[in-house]
Amino acid sequence: MTATSATSATPQTPATTPATTSGQTAQAAQAGQTAQAIAQGAVSLGIEFGSTRIKAVLIDQQFHTLAQGDHAWENHLEDGLWTYSLEEVWAGVQDAYAKLAAQVEATYNTPLTRIARMGFSAMMHGYLAFSKADELLVPFRTWRNTNTHAAHEELSQLFQFNIPERWSIAHLYQALLDDEEHTNRIDYITTLAGYVHWQLTGRKVLGVGDASGMFPIDPHTHTYDEEFLEKFENLPLVQQQTWSIREILPEVLVAGQNAGTLTQAGALLLDPTGTLEAGSVLAPPEGDAGTGMVATNSVRVRTGNVSAGTSIFAMVVLEDKLKALHPEVDVVTTPAGDLAGMSHANNFTSDLNAWVGLFRDFTRAAGVQMSDAELYATLFNAALDDESGEANAGGLLNYCFYSGEFLVGLAEGRPVFARGPQAHMSLANFMRAQLFSAFAPVTVGMDVMTKDEGVRVDSLVGHGGIFTTPVVAQRILAAAFNAPIRVMSTAAEGGAWGMAVLAEYTGHAEEELAEYLDKQVFAHAQYTTETPQEQDVAGFQDFFARFKQALPVERAAVDTIDLETK
C-alpha cells in the first residue's frame, strides 16, 4: 500500500495581484503584530530538558513558534551511575534561553523582557534527593540507571502494580536496600523538571504526568495512590526512617492549574542579564511523556503516540486499568490525569547517531561536503532501497544498547553490530538493521498491550527528530507495530513546543485539555499517514525473531567489554 496524506486545513485562497507586493505587506504587518505581542509579553515559553539537548521554544497565542534556542549536553558516568551535575543544568538552560532571546531580538527587533506564561519539562523519573538545607545529597540519578532491579521486583509485588526500575520510588527504595548513608537526611525528592520549577518559583509541585513516574497515581483523585502509600510506609526499612513518604514527595497538580509565578531570583537564574522580568505564570512541570502527548494531540482515550529521541516510548491512553501486572508496561497518566500505558525503551538514537558520525567522517575524508540533514536523509532513504536491500535486513543484526534495557532483561548495555558470514552486507540492509534495532525493544511492551491486554488504539502519532526525514522512520515504525502511523506537521517541534502549549493552556483551563487541543491547537493540523506494507511487516518479524534469538551475543558483550574506556 502507498502512503496517504490528509489535512484538516482550509485550502488557501490564491494571492491577489501583485502577489509580491501584497505578500510583503502582509508579512510586514504580521511581523509588526508579533513584535507588539512580544513587547507586551503576550507569549508563552516552553523549555524541555532532553537527554542530549535542552530546547527552548517561544510561541504566540496562536501556537506558532516565534523563536527557539537549544543547548547540547550529555550524561556521564559517575561511580557507575548516569548523571548530570546541577551546574550543567543551569548552564544549559541559561544558554538555551539566551539563544532564544537573541533570536527574538534579531528577528523582531524587540527585546524579550516579559513572558506571560512558561513551563518546564524534562526526562521523566530519576532521583534528586535534598536535605532540609536544600543540599543535593547524591548526584542526580537519571532514568537511564538500571541498578534498581531489586526495588522494582519487591515494590511491584507489594503493590501488584508495575514499578519500573527508573521510577523515583524505585531509586529511593533501592537506596534503602543498599543502606546508603544519605537516606536518613532526606527532606524532599523530585524529578529534574520539578527541581528546576522549584528553584524558579519556590514551589515544590509536579504535574500529574511527571508525578506518575515518581509514585503510582490514583486516576480518580489525581494524586498519589493512598493504598500504595500506606503499604510503602509499612515496609520495615521505611519505618526506620525519620521521614514520611507523604511529606517528601512533591504536591501533584493537573494541567491548567497555576503552579506559581517566576520569582525575581528565578528570573535571574533563567536570564542572568536581568532583562527578563519576574511574574510569569508557570504551568505544572511535566515529564517528556506528557509533553509528547500534547505535541501529538494524543490525550484522548484510545489515542497514542510514539516519542523518539535518546530513549523511545509508545503510549496509549487507556479505557480501563490493565487486567494484570505486566513488567513490560508502565502505567502513567496524561497531563490531565487519565491513565496511559507506556512501553519505554532506554535506548534509541545514541547508537544510530554514532554510526551516522562514522559516515560523516567518511564523507569528509572523501572530500564530500554534506550537511547533517543531507547525510541523515541519504542514509535513511537507503534503508528503503529495494534493489540493494531486503525486507528483513539481509541477515544483519544490531543491538543499540548504550545502557541497560529492562524490556530484554539487560542490566547494562553494549552497542553491538553482528552478522553471519552469509548475511548480505549492503548499505540498504545496514541502515534497515539500524532502524529495526532502534524500534525493536519498544515493540516488546507494545505487543503486551495490544496482544495480551487487548488495548484498542484508534490512532498512533509519531514525533521526534527521527521523523524529520519524510516517510522512512514512519514506514519502519508502521512495520514494527503493524499499524498506521501518523506524523503531524509539528513532529519535529517536540516536547518544548508541547510544554509551551501547556503553559498557554493555564489561561484556558475552563476547557478540558482534549477539547482545547482539538478545537484550538490542532484545528488546522496537517499530517501524513504511513500504512504498514506487507513485506515490511514480514521483514521486521523475521528480524525481530533473530534479534531475540541472538540476545546471548549482547549479554556476552556486557560480560566481556568494559563499560568505561580505560
Side-chain angles (χ1 to χ4, degrees):
M1 290 179 278
T2 58
T4 60
S5 118
T7 175
S8 61
T10 304
Q12 294 183 348
T13 304
T16 57
T17 306
T20 302
T21 302
S22 62
Q24 290 174 341
T25 302
Q27 288 177 358
Q30 180 60 51
Q33 291 172 5
T34 301
Q36 184 179 15
I38 292 169
Q40 294 173 346
V43 289
S44 292
L45 173 70
I47 295 183
E48 181 156 283
F49 293 79
S51 299
T52 59
R53 185 172 63 149
I54 302 170
K55 185 175 180 181
V57 171
L58 190 73
I59 66 171
D60 61 19
Q61 293 176 337
Q62 289 72 48
F63 319 106
H64 300 133
T65 298
L66 304 180
Q68 303 181 50
D70 65 2
H71 172 85
W73 69 342
E74 285 287 350
N75 55 187
H76 49 86
L77 281 168
E78 186 171 325
D79 296 328
L81 295 173
W82 295 102
T83 188
Y84 305 84
S85 71
L86 298 188
E87 291 77 15
E88 290 174 293
V89 169
W90 294 113
V93 72
Q94 287 168 4
D95 184 43
Y97 179 83
K99 289 173 179 174
L100 178 143
Q103 190 180 103
V104 167
E105 187 147 18
T107 305
Y108 305 103
N109 196 29
T110 305
L112 186 58
T113 59
R114 288 184 287 173
I115 299 173
R117 306 175 190 282
M118 61 176 64
F120 294 82
S121 57
M123 56 191 103
M124 289 177 68
H125 322 305
Y127 180 71
L128 281 155
F130 294 89
S131 69
K132 287 185 178 180
D134 296 342
E135 168 198 8
L136 182 66
L137 295 173
V138 290
F140 170 36
R141 296 173 181 179
T142 78
W143 57 269
R144 195 167 222 171
N145 292 295
T146 55
N147 62 307
T148 55
H149 189 72
H152 146 74
E153 288 193 324
E154 186 172 338
L155 293 178
S156 296
Q157 287 303 314
L158 175 69
F159 299 153
Q160 283 300 293
F161 181 97
N162 185 33
I163 302 297
E165 292 175 336
R166 64 190 174 279
W167 277 24
S168 305
I169 195 63
H171 281 281
L172 173 62
Y173 192 59
Q174 189 66 48
L176 296 180
L177 291 174
D178 294 341
D179 195 25
E180 292 194 36
E181 179 275 335
H182 80 273
T183 56
N184 62 8
R185 295 191 289 133
I186 293 173
D187 183 67
Y188 181 52
I189 64 172
T190 189
T191 65
L192 179 55
Y195 163 71
V196 172
H197 184 97
W198 168 34
Q199 298 303 301
L200 297 180
T201 66
R203 293 194 62 185
K204 296 179 177 180
V205 300
L206 205 57
V208 64
D210 203 8
S212 69
M214 293 196 77
F215 195 94
I217 294 292
D218 183 331
H220 302 294
T221 63
H222 294 164
T223 190
Y224 306 112
D225 189 290
E226 187 63 31
E227 178 186 352
F228 294 166
L229 286 171
E230 186 173 346
K231 286 184 176 181
F232 185 80
E233 287 189 328
N234 287 330
L235 287 168
L237 283 176
V238 176
Q239 289 186 327
Q240 296 173 20
Q241 306 305 311
T242 58
W243 44 260
S244 163
I245 186 62
R246 302 168 194 270
E247 297 170 350
I248 66 173
L249 288 170
E251 177 188 355
V252 181
L253 303 177
V254 297
Q257 287 187 275
N258 183 322
T261 56
L262 183 68
T263 64
Q264 188 61 51
L268 286 171
L269 259 180
L270 189 57
D271 178 19
T273 70
T275 304
L276 179 63
E277 298 176 4
S280 305
V281 173
L282 266 75
E286 266 298 347
D288 48 6
T291 57
M293 285 187 272
V294 170
T296 55
N297 194 18
S298 303
V299 301
R300 287 191 183 277
V301 167
R302 290 172 57 170
T303 64
N305 77 98
V306 181
S307 181
T310 304
S311 64
I312 179 172
F313 49 80
M315 300 191 65
V316 179
V317 184
L318 303 173
E319 295 178 271
D320 302 295
K321 291 184 178 180
L322 298 181
K323 296 185 287 290
L325 167 63
H326 298 283
E328 305 86 353
V329 180
D330 307 356
V331 179
V332 292
T333 78
T334 71
D338 297 316
L339 293 182
M342 172 197 284
S343 173
H344 182 284
N346 288 345
N347 301 271
F348 189 65
T349 57
S350 294
D351 190 38
L352 182 61
N353 290 339
W355 282 107
V356 173
L358 181 69
F359 285 108
R360 183 187 298 112
D361 290 344
F362 172 76
T363 61
R364 289 173 179 169
V368 177
Q369 297 298 318
M370 296 181 72
S371 68
D372 279 357
E374 292 171 324
L375 184 59
Y376 274 93
T378 300
L379 292 171
F380 276 30
N381 282 308
L384 303 185
D385 183 353
D386 293 333
E387 291 187 11
S388 61
E390 295 150 270
N392 67 352
L396 306 185
L397 273 176
N398 193 71
Y399 295 101
C400 64
F401 302 129
Y402 264 54
S403 64
E405 191 62 76
F406 176 81
L407 288 168
V408 292
L410 293 172
E412 294 181 2
R414 305 289 189 276
V416 171
F417 172 70
R419 63 190 176 101
Q422 297 300 310
H424 301 156
M425 188 69 171
S426 68
L427 180 62
N429 282 337
F430 179 81
M431 289 308 300
R432 182 166 280 239
Q434 289 294 322
L435 291 167
F436 274 174
S437 167
F439 285 119
V442 75
T443 303
V444 174
M446 194 65 180
D447 281 353
V448 169
M449 282 193 280
T450 57
K451 296 177 181 179
D452 297 349
E453 282 280 346
V455 171
R456 293 182 292 178
V457 187
D458 292 337
S459 66
L460 276 172
V461 181
H463 82 120
I466 197 168
F467 297 107
T468 304
T469 300
V471 177
V472 183
Q474 194 176 351
R475 178 171 150 185
I476 295 295
L477 180 57
F481 286 0
N482 194 16
I485 302 295
R486 294 196 304 167
V487 170
M488 300 177 123
S489 57
T490 55
E493 295 284 5
W497 182 81
M499 192 65 239
V501 169
L502 282 173
E504 180 66 22
Y505 177 62
T506 59
H508 305 270
E510 71 283 351
E511 190 171 13
E512 287 187 3
L513 180 60
E515 290 294 312
Y516 181 72
L517 295 178
D518 279 346
K519 295 178 180 179
Q520 303 293 332
V521 183
F522 294 101
H524 303 291
Q526 297 180 346
Y527 60 88
T528 61
T529 301
E530 281 291 328
T531 55
Q533 300 190 18
E534 186 176 344
Q535 70 274 19
D536 288 340
V537 174
F540 178 82
Q541 290 301 320
D542 181 78
F543 175 91
F544 195 39
R546 289 185 287 108
F547 179 92
K548 291 185 287 186
Q549 180 181 338
L551 274 169
V553 172
E554 170 66 20
R555 296 189 178 100
V558 170
D559 291 338
T560 56
I561 299 175
D562 290 338
L563 179 63
E564 299 183 64
T565 303
K566 296 180 179 178

